Amino acid sequence: MNFFFCVHPTREEARALHAELNEYVSSLGAKETFDPALADFTVAIGGDGTVVAACRLSDAPVIGINAGTLGYLARIEPQNAKDALLAVMKGEYGVEKRMTLLCGPAGGEKTTALNDAVLSKADAGVIRFSVTVDGIELMRYTADGIIAATPTGSTGYSLSAGGPIVDPAGENIILTPVSPHTLINRPIVLSAQSKVTLVCETDALISLDGSARPLSAGSPYEISRSDRYMRFVTFGRESFIARLRKKLS
């Protein structure tokens, strides 16, 4: 069995745990691979950002080990990491699928995002943009930006901007405006079958899971559900609500 490790680059505790776990799986007859394409499982050691980075690198099911602060995706605490890897090697685990977004300019190359796509300012000041859903204009905004999040991403930036918490087992696209200059500032939860198009009046930025790229003024940018699902290794039957209460308490 091959494990690919994705480790937070600056946290010493994450690097130390990687060395310890690599030695442990080796003692059980497994091995570390540096090629994510050869991995049976990807082990992400860090926070939720590390888990997102691991999903970009590998299609193998992800085992998230929390060496960060608030880990919704990195569920396994360090003291339980060896038990989790042993359970995986014994086949005593489940796999949970999460929807992703397919994002890109109209007619251009598309990229997947696990958490969110965020339209934001390229410089100082607000931006003006329109949001179209399935070919029908929803609204024109003057705001700091807008977040299109998956249920997985609903507990991230979208939540900080006033968006709802959505069960990650669901399939929705959540639109959350960021500091809109209007009395109508409610987030909107769309069906996963919806196709969202953003058009900004000025140059702006689009960030996919925190990775920013420029967006030219007037260029339509499309967001829809991707056919690709991210897979996460699970243990036991702890519900999302139980995890949520622990994280928010």
Side-chain angles (χ1 to χ4, degrees):
M1 184 176 289
N2 294 331
F3 290 95
F4 173 73
F5 287 88
C6 182
V7 183
H8 192 286
T10 61
R11 290 200 176 115
E12 182 59 38
E13 63 270 29
R15 293 197 294 267
L17 185 57
H18 168 218
E20 182 180 348
L21 294 180
N22 185 26
E23 181 178 353
Y24 178 68
V25 297
S26 296
S27 71
L28 298 176
K31 62 180 180 179
E32 178 179 15
T33 178
F34 298 98
D35 183 352
L38 299 179
D40 297 298
F41 295 92
T42 293
V43 182
I45 306 175
D48 285 353
T50 305
V51 175
V52 171
C55 290
R56 289 198 199 104
L57 294 171
S58 173
D59 287 326
V62 175
I63 305 165
I65 299 174
N66 184 26
T69 52
L70 189 66
Y72 284 97
L73 298 176
R75 300 183 190 175
I76 303 164
E77 295 304 320
Q79 63 270 23
N80 300 323
K82 288 183 179 179
D83 289 341
L85 295 182
L86 179 60
V88 165
M89 295 185 69
K90 290 180 176 180
E92 299 171 353
Y93 65 92
V95 175
E96 182 177 274
K97 295 198 306 181
R98 301 284 185 89
M99 72 164 279
T100 62
L101 298 174
L102 186 65
C103 311
E109 183 178 356
K110 300 293 194 291
T111 305
T112 58
L114 172 63
N115 278 336
D116 50 37
V118 180
L119 175 68
S120 61
K121 302 174 289 185
D123 49 27
V126 297
I127 53 176
R128 295 176 177 85
F129 56 92
S130 65
V131 179
T132 300
V133 179
D134 297 330
I136 301 172
E137 184 173 285
L138 171 65
M139 193 172 296
R140 292 180 179 269
Y141 287 94
T142 299
D144 286 355
I146 194 166
I147 306 161
T150 64
T152 297
S154 71
T155 52
Y157 186 18
S158 177
L159 178 62
S160 300
I165 296 174
V166 181
D167 190 322
E171 296 198 5
N172 299 96
I173 299 174
I174 302 107
L175 297 180
T176 306
V178 181
S179 302
H181 292 213
T182 174
L183 294 176
I184 303 174
N185 62 355
R186 300 295 185 185
I188 299 172
V189 180
L190 301 172
S191 159
Q193 284 71 42
S194 300
K195 182 176 181 179
V196 177
T197 303
L198 308 177
V199 180
C200 195
E201 294 181 8
T202 58
D203 290 347
L205 295 175
I206 283 282
S207 299
L208 303 182
D209 291 337
S211 178
R213 59 207 68 191
L215 178 66
S216 299
S219 299
Y221 193 86
E222 297 176 341
I223 302 168
S224 59
R225 181 178 64 178
S226 171
D227 291 334
R228 184 186 182 199
Y229 286 83
M230 299 300 184
R231 296 179 293 159
F232 293 92
V233 173
T234 61
F235 304 95
R237 297 188 176 184
E238 183 183 38
S239 70
F240 168 67
I241 297 301
R243 294 199 308 273
L244 182 66
R245 190 172 77 170
K246 284 197 299 188
K247 296 299 181 182
L248 298 182
S249 62

